[in-house]
Amino acid sequence: MNYNFKKIEKKWRDWWKSNKTYSVTEDLTKKKFYVLDMFPYPSGSGLHVGHPLGYIASDIYARYKRLNGFNVLHPMGYDSFGLPAEQYAIQTGQHPNITTENNIKRYREQLDKIGFSFDWDREIRTSDPKYYKWTQWIFKQLFNSYYCSINDKACHISELIKEFEINGNKKVQSPCDGDTQLFDSKEWVNFNEKKQQEILLKYRLAYLSDTWVNWCPALGTVLANDEVKDGYSERGNFPVEQKKMRQWSLRITAYANRLLNGLNNIDWNSSIKEMQRNWIGKSKGALIKFKVAKNVNSVEVFTTRPDTIFGVSFMVIAPEHPIVHKITTKKQYQNVLDYCNDVSLKSERDRQSNNKNITGVFSGSYAIHPLTKKTIPIWIADYVIASYGSGAIMAVPCGDQRDWNFAKKFNLDIPNIFKNTDVSESANESLECTIINSDFLNNLNSRDAIKKSISTIEKLNIGTIKTNFRIRDAVFSRQRYWGEPFPVYYKDDTPYILNNNSCLQLPKINKYLPTKEGNPPLARAKKEDWNIFDGEKMEYNTMPGWAGSSWYFLRFMDPNNNYEFVAEEKVNYWGQVDLYMGGAEHAVGHLLYSRFWTHFLFDLGYLKFQEPFKKLINQGMILGRSNFVYRKTDTSEFVTYEKRHNYKTTKIHVDIGLVNNDILDVEKFTQWRPEFSNAKFILNDSGNYLCGFEIEKMSKSKYNTQSPDELIEKYGADTLRMYEMFLGPIEQYKPWDIKGINGVHNFLKKLWRLTHNEKNKLIVTDVNPTKEEYKSIHICIKKITQDLERFSFNTIVSHLMICLNELINQDCNKRKIITDYIILLSPYAPFICEEIWSSLGHSSSINDAKWPKFEEKYIKEDSINYPIAFNGKMRFTLNLNCKLSKKEIEEIIIKNPKTINYLNNNQLKKIIIVPNKIINIVF
RNA sequence: GCCCAGGUGGUGGAAUUGGUAGACACGCGGGACUUAAAAUCCCGUGGGCAGUAAUGUCCGUGCGGGUUCAAGUCCCGCCCUGGGUACCA
């Protein structure tokens, strides 16, 4: 008698494939249900145990919905453009397409083994020209659109041109670049082609602008934030600086309000919504103009606390602010220049997180306070970010902690404007206070003072009320090879959309590196290497990783359509994703961009819904244990963990495959990556290189992944599926550990033994179940159904175990009970259940069975075992009939000898009876 | 720094709406079967104190306060860990 999972799983894998058990088509007679996973990036290290966690959960839910009669769309594909394949191409010269193809093959094998109910006929790959043709198509729509704030939707650019021809842009209410000039219709008509295109570009939803990038001069390329460690490139250890570069951006800010309000209409957990709200960062405040003394310029500041305007004692502007050059005095020129150069080496995150080491420089100029007319010094400091608000602030040290810290450091005034509040030790950021020393705002509380200050500022014409968003337009180009090429060419330095409807394919190039001039790899392609070529040159940038993933859920509905990105009748049938399962690390990236594109396609009339994902579950990450080596800065020498503090070092991830018990295999390490081939090591006293470790996100870039393959080999996919669910709540983060997998494997073995004899023949009887047996299975039906509805996947495993233990104790292998039981189990362990189902005599798949119906009558009890507590502490239990009234219960309790004992002569104050829950005796 | 989570036995976790803290497993200890091992089955298992025992009793859900008849759960203030922070996806 043995549970031969290998044989069973192979058998049903093949059967499902040849019977197309999981393929699905539109069926108007059935209710649809769309279950989607965040599709993976197929990395070279294969699927790791963290990936299936979400896939298993959603697969269970998809199977559950199907058992309840729904037509379930449950597809899978690959987000197959990305950095690692390109990195590998740079190292080996192999085309990323080959790497990607191999990786996908491996992923598919791994996914197949786990027994997912994916409809593989719908597979898509973002790097497939048949797919990215439509990603390019959406880009074309964005390019050809502008946002009309009057209609509050995206419109075709031709409507804007019409308006320009009639009225110029004076009446236009549309988000556009800050430097857009005003013109009338006559001027418009007289502009030449280039000028007109230049102006239109300022309104398009896809537009060109100068944005900051991490530029690594030594590598001649732009680096991802991920690839920069402490101001140096992770690859090669070269200095990285901030540089402005002309790039495509998408005007997501035009949708800020709708993206914010749309959150109210979707069933996501509140923390993710909160993160998106904060990311969008809507804040109301005022834009106030400060004139610069002895200078023609003025500086606008954005503040959410105009009530504190009389507390201003200096002004701070961002080092990148264009006005810096205009207001810096001769005397301060060198200081300011040096400071701005220093800052350009720092990343934005460093600037924001580093609040211990406050830096700044005086510009030499003063601003005139618009109300008091006093002069205040203008400083330049990196804690002010150029891209937020107006890139300048009025500093109120008594009311803002960062301003306070800055004032302390540079010995600036801290005037107090708060009644009965001490600001000598820290700033007062609370709104619960009364304003003083503030002229017309005196004795108002902050909330009223905000209103009054704004109305006064507007009346005096020194500022305006302004709603500001923290969200910035999304930079949409990358200086990479392995991404979607833009369907764009240039003529006279002006970008134009390709008129050709075919896919613009990635051209072949000889090397995947940037050119000597610092142009992206695509600049290596000659004219004849492009399948379509127009104008003087093609766009050399490619689209970012999130382009393809921003709309893939739509393509799954109609993956092979060559005429449209999705057919109308199909998108109308499948509609929104009903359940979207994926990692919380995508909270603001992918999930926000997808929402943006869906809103946009809705505006264009292609979709009937604005929000892509109705219900979202964030599976908590499975965390991995990472190892680190410590590289001495500017060298290729590595210091053992114990001695790392003796040197200035950078912490670098090292593949856990090269490490055993935290000890590095030095030999393997030098062979791991070419740049480490001449690595030298400073070892510890035992002659070893000890690595540091951390528990963090399991990710290929952290080299800490673990594959599910061995576990499937050893225990089978059913066990893996159940174990991943049994680990804990789906939404919780948990470190990976295979202790305990035996428990669920034993459970499946026990089920096998209950239902099979020594010869592996099914043994079920047709005898009618007993009352107790009915009770066991119906409690199980109830709990599992309830828990599935609330996505509590881990507790279901426990309920299944409890029920099986009871059935074993009852020696129950009765057909009626076993049939219900394996249907309940089948979403979790589809292979073993399909096997038993077929042994029970069914010719169709268990997936087409009906979910058992819970019946109250089987679990009804006459009495309940009440816990009796004294002052909240449980002392004993008492079995009481359910029909008893509160008064009758009270009488029984008081008379009980145990009660008298526990009261111990104390005066009884009252008895609290919570029906069906607890009885508490207060004394 | 900022935003968002999480912290319960030796371990993963359970406790759905404020109502018996530790379900279900792992691990560990003891026993049965066996020449032996594996497999399987049975019993015990948060900590302290008292008792031969049944049992009794006190402590206990990161730390410090608070609300309540009753707090892992609600409120206030901390600490630690993880995720995101706009070019990893």
Side-chain angles (χ1 to χ4, degrees):
Chain A
M1 173 165 61
N2 66 337
Y3 159 46
N4 190 343
F5 55 84
K6 275 191 190 162
K7 200 173 140 196
I8 295 170
E9 293 184 1
K10 167 131 196 5
K11 173 180 166 187
W12 292 105
R13 209 158 39 230
D14 295 345
W15 195 90
W16 291 333
K17 201 173 174 186
S18 53
N19 284 277
K20 286 209 171 274
T21 305
Y22 302 119
S23 92
V24 59
T25 49
E26 298 73 42
D27 178 350
L28 293 170
T29 65
K30 277 185 178 171
K31 271 205 254 174
K32 69 93 189 184
F33 201 89
Y34 188 178
V35 179
L36 183 66
D37 297 289
M38 290 182 185
F39 62 164
Y41 172 78
S43 79
S45 48
L47 206 64
H48 65 68
V49 291
H51 289 113
L53 184 79
Y55 301 162
I56 293 166
S58 61
D59 193 59
I60 287 166
Y61 201 77
R63 287 172 182 272
Y64 164 69
K65 278 291 176 184
R66 175 161 171 183
L67 288 166
N68 278 283
F70 286 84
N71 193 26
V72 179
L73 177 59
H74 189 210
M76 182 48 85
Y78 305 97
D79 192 8
S80 45
F81 274 134
L83 263 186
E86 177 153 340
Q87 225 18 271
Y88 191 75
I90 291 170
Q91 281 170 28
T92 64
Q94 192 175 60
H95 194 287
N97 209 7
I98 301 170
T99 321
T100 304
E101 192 68 36
N102 290 340
N103 293 350
I104 286 180
K105 218 172 139 199
R106 166 115 191 264
Y107 264 60
R108 179 62 191 274
E109 279 166 16
Q110 290 181 300
L111 289 167
D112 278 346
K113 274 193 201 152
I114 305 174
F116 293 117
S117 62
F118 296 132
D119 178 0
W120 280 109
D121 295 343
R122 292 172 183 268
E123 180 196 307
I124 52 179
R125 303 171 182 194
T126 55
S127 62
D128 184 344
K130 284 197 256 55
Y131 180 87
Y132 71 72
K133 170 186 174 173
W134 297 106
T135 310
Q136 292 174 340
W137 178 84
I138 295 173
F139 176 81
K140 289 180 182 176
Q141 311 310 306
L142 286 160
F143 182 86
N144 284 328
S145 301
Y146 74 107
Y147 199 86
C148 172
S149 297
I150 298 165
N151 298 323
D152 204 17
K153 62 180 265 200
C155 297
H156 198 271
I157 197 83
S158 58
E159 292 182 37
L160 189 66
I161 297 172
K162 257 188 253 159
E163 172 66 15
F164 286 172
E165 285 164 354
I166 301 165
N167 295 315
N169 68 348
K170 286 178 182 148
K171 287 188 188 162
V172 170
Q173 289 180 37
S174 290
C176 60
D177 293 0
D179 60 354
T180 310
Q181 64 179 104
L182 286 174
F183 53 84
D184 57 30
S185 59
K186 238 190 214 159
E187 287 171 289
W188 171 257
V189 178
N190 287 328
F191 289 148
N192 64 19
E193 160 80 9
K194 187 179 162 114
K195 179 79 183 173
Q196 285 188 345
Q197 287 300 328
E198 210 172 87
I199 288 167
L200 288 172
L201 198 56
K202 293 176 188 294
Y203 284 88
R204 296 180 192 275
L205 289 182
Y207 65 98
L208 282 168
S209 67
D210 293 321
T211 45
W212 295 98
V213 294
N214 299 311
W215 175 251
C216 180
L219 293 171
T221 185
V222 173
L223 295 176
N225 287 335
D226 228 37
E227 300 175 293
V228 184
K229 293 268 144 35
D230 307 326
Y232 288 83
S233 64
E234 193 181 36
R235 201 155 35 90
N237 207 20
F238 302 112
V240 175
E241 57 192 55
Q242 302 298 303
K243 184 182 161 184
K244 266 203 169 171
M245 199 174 258
R246 196 151 177 79
Q247 303 206 76
W248 287 101
S249 289
L250 298 187
R251 219 177 285 281
I252 189 174
T253 49
Y255 283 84
N257 247 325
R258 281 168 65 189
L259 290 171
L260 188 65
N261 296 334
L263 290 170
N264 300 328
N265 307 322
I266 45 183
D267 182 12
W268 296 9
N269 71 43
S270 51
S271 62
I272 293 277
K273 290 196 200 177
E274 194 60 22
M275 280 165 86
Q276 292 213 346
R277 281 190 194 106
N278 292 331
W279 183 265
I280 295 166
K282 184 176 185 171
S283 53
K284 286 180 187 158
L287 209 53
I288 305 172
K289 203 176 264 183
F290 283 65
K291 283 195 176 126
V292 181
K294 299 178 189 162
N295 194 303
V296 292
N297 294 291
S298 59
V299 185
E300 279 197 320
V301 301
F302 175 75
T303 176
T304 56
R305 293 292 304 273
D307 57 315
T308 62
I309 189 159
F310 289 96
V312 173
S313 58
F314 57 101
M315 177 182 260
V316 186
I317 58 181
E320 300 88 350
H321 200 295
I323 205 167
V324 166
H325 311 288
K326 298 176 188 161
I327 60 161
T328 301
T329 57
K330 263 192 194 145
K331 205 177 147 200
Q332 287 293 66
Y333 180 78
Q334 197 55 46
N335 286 344
V336 171
L337 191 72
D338 290 348
Y339 182 72
C340 291
N341 282 338
D342 279 356
V343 169
S344 77
L345 295 175
K346 287 199 224 169
S347 73
E348 189 179 309
R349 198 178 313 164
D350 280 345
R351 287 170 55 173
Q352 282 176 74
S353 55
N354 190 351
N355 69 340
K356 281 173 203 135
N357 186 17
I358 298 159
T359 63
V361 62
F362 179 46
S363 69
S365 284
Y366 292 83
I368 301 163
H369 191 292
L371 295 169
T372 65
K373 306 294 179 199
K374 281 182 193 158
T375 56
I376 53 168
I378 304 177
W379 283 70
I380 296 155
D382 64 0
Y383 79 96
V384 173
I385 301 288
S387 54
Y388 182 76
S390 59
I393 61 158
M394 57 177 217
V396 183
C398 69
D400 182 287
Q401 194 56 48
R402 283 171 307 175
D403 297 348
W404 190 93
N405 294 344
F406 194 83
K408 275 280 168 198
K409 164 110 186 197
F410 293 105
N411 247 332
L412 299 159
D413 276 353
I414 305 181
N416 192 356
I417 53 158
F418 301 114
K419 194 175 192 173
N420 300 330
T421 307
D422 179 23
V423 294
S424 62
E425 294 302 316
S426 67
N428 163 55
E429 296 189 330
S430 162
L431 282 172
E432 307 301 327
C433 55
T434 306
I435 305 283
I436 53 166
N437 301 331
S438 294
D439 195 0
F440 60 90
L441 298 175
N442 280 342
N443 297 318
L444 292 173
N445 72 42
S446 280
R447 283 169 226 281
D448 295 333
I450 288 174
K451 286 178 205 149
K452 182 149 186 193
S453 58
I454 289 179
S455 65
T456 309
I457 286 164
E458 287 200 308
K459 216 183 293 163
L460 297 172
N461 210 14
I462 51 171
T464 48
I465 188 163
K466 159 108 181 172
T467 300
N468 193 50
F469 290 94
R470 201 185 72 101
I471 191 172
R472 305 199 292 254
D473 279 341
V475 180
F476 195 64
S477 42
R478 302 290 182 262
Q479 294 66 44
R480 311 279 177 195
Y481 176 73
W482 195 228
E484 298 87 348
F486 283 86
V488 167
Y489 65 92
Y490 288 85
K491 210 167 66 187
D492 197 13
D493 268 337
T494 305
Y496 291 89
I497 283 288
L498 279 180
N499 222 345
N500 195 315
N501 281 334
S502 313
C503 175
L504 174 69
Q505 299 201 21
L506 270 174
K508 282 210 175 92
I509 54 174
N510 56 355
K511 256 190 200 168
Y512 301 99
L513 286 169
T515 65
K516 274 184 213 138
E517 302 78 42
N519 279 322
L522 283 189
R524 294 175 175 273
K526 295 183 215 78
K527 190 170 176 177
E528 59 272 22
D529 295 327
W530 294 89
N531 70 329
I532 304 168
F533 191 96
D534 206 341
E536 288 142 15
K537 62 169 195 177
M538 301 298 285
E539 170 69 58
Y540 295 149
N541 288 296
T542 52
M543 297 186 200
W546 52 271
S549 60
S550 293
W551 71 283
Y552 74 113
F553 46 92
L554 298 167
R555 189 65 178 172
F556 276 134
M557 301 171 184
D558 195 7
N560 300 312
N561 193 330
N562 287 326
Y563 307 100
E564 297 164 279
F565 76 106
V566 60
E568 195 182 348
E569 71 273 14
K570 295 198 173 173
V571 70
N572 286 348
Y573 176 75
W574 292 113
Q576 286 169 292
V577 174
D578 294 285
L579 175 65
Y580 195 28
M581 182 76 70
E585 68 272 28
H586 299 285
V588 283
H590 162 62
L591 286 171
L592 197 62
Y593 297 133
S594 307
R595 294 183 58 222
F596 164 38
W597 282 34
T598 309
H599 276 76
F600 171 67
L601 291 168
F602 167 85
D603 283 356
L604 265 46
Y606 292 108
L607 310 177
K608 291 207 163 122
F609 51 88
Q610 303 198 47
E611 288 294 341
F613 315 122
K614 202 150 105 189
K615 165 90 190 164
L616 175 78
I617 303 270
N618 281 121
Q619 99 253 17
M621 235 171 294
I622 291 203
L623 303 173
R625 193 174 184 279
S626 308
N627 279 114
F628 296 94
V629 292
Y630 301 86
R631 177 169 62 195
K632 275 169 75 179
T633 307
D634 293 328
T635 71
S636 49
E637 200 167 6
F638 294 83
V639 188
T640 187
Y641 178 77
E642 299 96 324
K643 300 184 180 169
R644 70 194 190 285
H645 291 310
N646 302 346
Y647 308 89
K648 192 171 175 236
T649 58
T650 308
K651 191 164 79 172
I652 301 170
H653 280 93
V654 57
D655 197 314
I656 53 169
L658 310 176
V659 180
N660 194 2
N661 264 332
D662 289 340
I663 294 184
L664 181 71
D665 186 328
V666 171
E667 191 77 9
K668 277 193 198 160
F669 179 75
T670 50
Q671 293 159 15
W672 181 39
R673 275 158 52 175
E675 54 180 303
F676 298 144
S677 58
N678 56 354
K680 293 196 187 99
F681 301 91
I682 297 173
L683 304 175
N684 64 12
D685 300 341
S686 347
N688 288 320
Y689 189 99
L690 186 71
C691 298
F693 76 90
E694 251 166 55
I695 304 290
E696 58 181 352
K697 167 177 166 178
M698 193 177 278
S699 154
K700 65 250 169 204
S701 65
K702 301 186 191 303
Y703 305 107
N704 62 356
T705 57
Q706 301 219 328
S707 134
D709 299 1
E710 299 158 46
L711 296 173
I712 293 180
E713 183 63 25
K714 199 164 168 198
Y715 300 100
D718 280 340
T719 298
L720 178 79
R721 289 171 65 102
M722 293 206 81
Y723 182 58
E724 291 224 6
M725 292 301 98
F726 194 51
L727 273 179
I730 189 72
E731 305 209 58
Q732 202 165 293
Y733 290 65
K734 47 216 154 219
W736 178 247
D737 188 357
I738 55 163
K739 271 190 259 166
I741 193 165
N742 250 319
V744 286
H745 191 62
N746 276 340
F747 159 78
L748 292 176
K749 284 204 274 193
K750 282 201 261 180
L751 172 68
W752 190 261
R753 261 184 275 122
L754 177 68
T755 50
H756 294 77
N757 65 13
E758 287 80 4
K759 291 173 184 158
N760 266 333
K761 279 270 169 310
L762 188 83
I763 39 160
V764 288
T765 65
D766 289 315
V767 180
N768 270 331
T770 63
K771 202 181 155 196
E772 282 305 299
E773 290 162 352
Y774 271 128
K775 188 179 167 189
S776 292
I777 194 72
H778 276 270
I779 287 176
C780 192
I781 296 170
K782 183 182 180 185
K783 296 217 153 159
I784 288 179
T785 311
Q786 271 178 358
D787 282 1
L788 271 170
E789 289 300 334
R790 65 185 181 108
F791 307 99
S792 175
F793 296 99
N794 57 325
T795 51
I796 291 173
V797 181
S798 303
H799 297 317
L800 286 164
M801 285 173 169
I802 292 167
C803 184
L804 183 71
N805 287 343
E806 286 173 8
L807 295 180
I808 288 170
N809 284 335
Q810 294 155 355
D811 241 331
C812 169
N813 56 2
K814 293 169 183 164
R815 178 177 294 273
K816 275 188 185 163
I817 304 290
I818 298 298
T819 301
D820 278 358
Y821 187 81
I822 61 161
I823 296 172
L824 295 177
L825 176 64
S826 68
Y828 279 77
F831 294 102
I832 192 175
C833 293
E834 192 80 277
E835 175 71 16
I836 298 174
W837 181 254
S838 112
S839 300
L840 281 167
H842 299 275
S843 56
S844 63
S845 167
I846 192 167
N847 291 285
D848 295 317
K850 254 202 169 126
W851 192 253
K853 193 171 182 299
F854 166 66
E855 288 183 67
E856 185 76 39
K857 66 178 180 195
Y858 291 115
I859 66 163
K860 225 175 172 184
E861 291 283 356
D862 301 335
S863 64
I864 149 159
N865 219 16
Y866 271 101
I868 314 296
F870 291 77
N871 285 344
K873 281 180 188 164
M874 207 285 282
R875 293 302 181 188
F876 61 93
T877 58
L878 199 61
N879 203 275
L880 295 170
N881 195 298
C882 295
K883 285 178 189 147
L884 291 172
S885 70
K886 275 195 180 182
K887 204 165 182 197
E888 286 167 317
I889 291 175
E890 213 165 289
E891 275 165 23
I892 294 168
I893 295 283
I894 291 167
K895 279 186 204 143
N896 191 293
K898 282 190 181 170
T899 308
I900 297 161
N901 185 33
Y902 278 107
L903 272 177
N904 194 21
N905 292 328
N906 283 301
Q907 183 63 43
L908 188 146
K909 281 189 190 140
K910 63 174 161 180
I911 298 181
I912 292 161
I913 297 167
V914 187
N916 300 322
K917 279 266 168 72
I918 199 170
I919 295 163
N920 191 17
I921 295 157
V922 186
F923 63 85

